[in-house]
Amino acid sequence: MATSNLIYAPELAISEWFNVSHPLTLAELRGRPVLLHSFQLLCPGCVSQSIPQVQKIERIFADTDLQVIGIHTVFEHHAAMSPVTLKAFLHEYRIKHPVGVDLPDEQTDTPITMQRFGLRGTPSSILIGRDGAIKHHIFGVEDDMAVGARIAMALAEKVPDLSPASKADDTVGCAEGRCEISKHIAS
């Protein structure tokens, strides 16, 4: 009997959504690959490199079921990066994919989604597979070819059986905002 350990993506904690008709959850997107990109509108690397790369990804993978989600993760200059400012920024930069405002934490300057995913700063990207497991997590901007290859591999994965019966033998252990699922697979 073989055991595989997967780190499943924690749920997003969002205070406000843009470019969507209803709030998104990672649970409802299970079965599709998801690219989360965490950014701040006053982050030079985000504006000059990360956001243009994400827009390129959207164009290249437009005919697939890849879901791109932006997370506006404000951990500094809070007053300058309000949702009103973000709305204007999204319009000016023609950002059309869903963007959520990371929910502030009352005890610290680090917002909740940033804490849950263990993000070190912006820009950061997380690729989540069809099964909800984190495939790749990076702080900074990765080479276009590497990102494209990772996304292509995630898109090529078989869509998992998401029926309740298929989840019966999963065991869950969560710590520090991350959940580990051990699924026993008969060999």
Side-chain angles (χ1 to χ4, degrees), residues 4-178:
S4 77
N5 291 322
L6 303 173
I7 303 298
Y8 278 75
E11 194 53 70
L12 304 172
I14 303 298
S15 63
E16 187 172 348
W17 282 99
F18 295 92
N19 301 332
V20 293
S21 59
H22 70 283
L24 298 179
T25 66
L26 294 178
E28 79 179 84
L29 293 170
R30 187 78 53 98
R32 295 176 65 179
V34 176
L35 177 67
L36 296 177
H37 75 100
S38 175
F39 72 99
Q40 293 185 89
L41 61 90
L42 292 179
C43 163
C46 298
V47 174
S48 67
Q49 295 177 323
S50 177
I51 291 171
Q53 182 180 61
V54 168
Q55 290 172 322
K56 190 183 311 181
I57 289 167
E58 286 183 293
R59 286 191 304 274
I60 291 169
F61 294 102
D63 294 331
T64 71
D65 66 341
L66 176 69
Q67 178 63 64
V68 174
I69 300 175
I71 307 296
H72 192 239
T73 306
V74 180
F75 55 88
E76 59 189 356
H77 311 299
H78 291 83
M81 292 191 274
S82 70
V84 171
T85 307
L86 176 61
K87 185 175 181 178
F89 177 86
L90 297 175
H91 173 75
E92 291 300 319
Y93 282 84
R94 294 175 174 82
I95 296 172
K96 303 293 183 196
H97 58 266
V99 174
V101 177
D102 200 346
L103 186 65
D105 183 336
E106 300 298 322
Q107 279 75 47
T108 177
D109 284 340
T110 307
I112 295 173
T113 300
M114 185 176 193
Q115 291 176 42
R116 286 181 180 172
F117 280 92
L119 302 178
R120 294 178 15 216
T122 57
S124 290
S125 296
I126 299 125
L127 180 60
I128 302 168
R130 294 182 183 283
D131 59 358
I134 296 174
K135 300 292 182 189
H136 189 65
H137 186 292
I138 188 165
F139 171 52
V141 178
E142 198 168 25
D143 182 78
D144 288 349
M145 292 288 288
V147 174
R150 287 184 211 292
I151 291 170
M153 288 189 296
L155 286 165
E157 288 180 343
K158 181 181 169 193
V159 177
D161 178 9
L162 300 173
S163 65
S166 73
K167 298 177 185 177
D169 64 344
D170 290 355
T171 56
V172 181
C174 297
E176 298 180 12
R178 293 178 186 244

